[in-house]
Amino acid sequence: MTVLIPLIVIWLPRGVWSVGDYDCYNTMCKGKLRHNDTYIVCDNYENFCDYNKTTGYPICEYSEKYHGKGVSCTDKRFECRATEATGEAYCYYLMSVKKIAAVVLSLVGGLIGLLVLCTCYVNYRANMPSSRDNRGVRDV
């Protein structure tokens, strides 16, 4: 005998189920309609964005089940940041100290190498006989 268990799927366009799906969360909510350019501060980690259906003014709603929008970061060394104007979250990847040291040492090494080459070239040119010294002299 087979028993079918009905599955109930709830579609929630305003929030995402369970806190913790993203690494970084948006920090503002955007309005709609006449308030399309209106933003309010709203930490989307424990809140989600909605808007007034009549006026379009943004609303920040607290929820223990849902959270707002954000981004997932692909590397373990990142810092969460958000754009000042819209509060849209992004991952700012931190360069490790080893990588910074390698870049600096490469640049310094390149500059030293260039300086050595220039010095050698100047010395080479200084020790060459000048074509002005040989004017009027013919090789026989």
Side-chain angles (χ1 to χ4, degrees), residues 32-85:
K32 305 270 184 190
L33 307 170
R34 291 183 315 194
H35 293 283
N36 196 38
D37 293 329
T38 303
Y39 293 88
I40 61 169
V41 175
C42 181
D43 178 9
N44 281 220
Y45 179 72
E46 291 182 336
N47 305 289
F48 64 91
C49 297
D50 199 4
Y51 62 94
N52 181 295
K53 305 303 182 243
T54 306
T55 64
Y57 195 82
I59 300 170
C60 181
E61 295 192 33
Y62 173 78
S63 174
E64 291 182 8
K65 289 184 181 178
Y66 308 107
H67 62 84
K69 295 180 181 178
V71 293
S72 296
C73 302
T74 57
D75 190 1
K76 61 184 174 191
R77 287 187 210 107
F78 68 89
E79 183 178 279
C80 291
R81 295 197 179 173
T83 60
E84 252 184 73

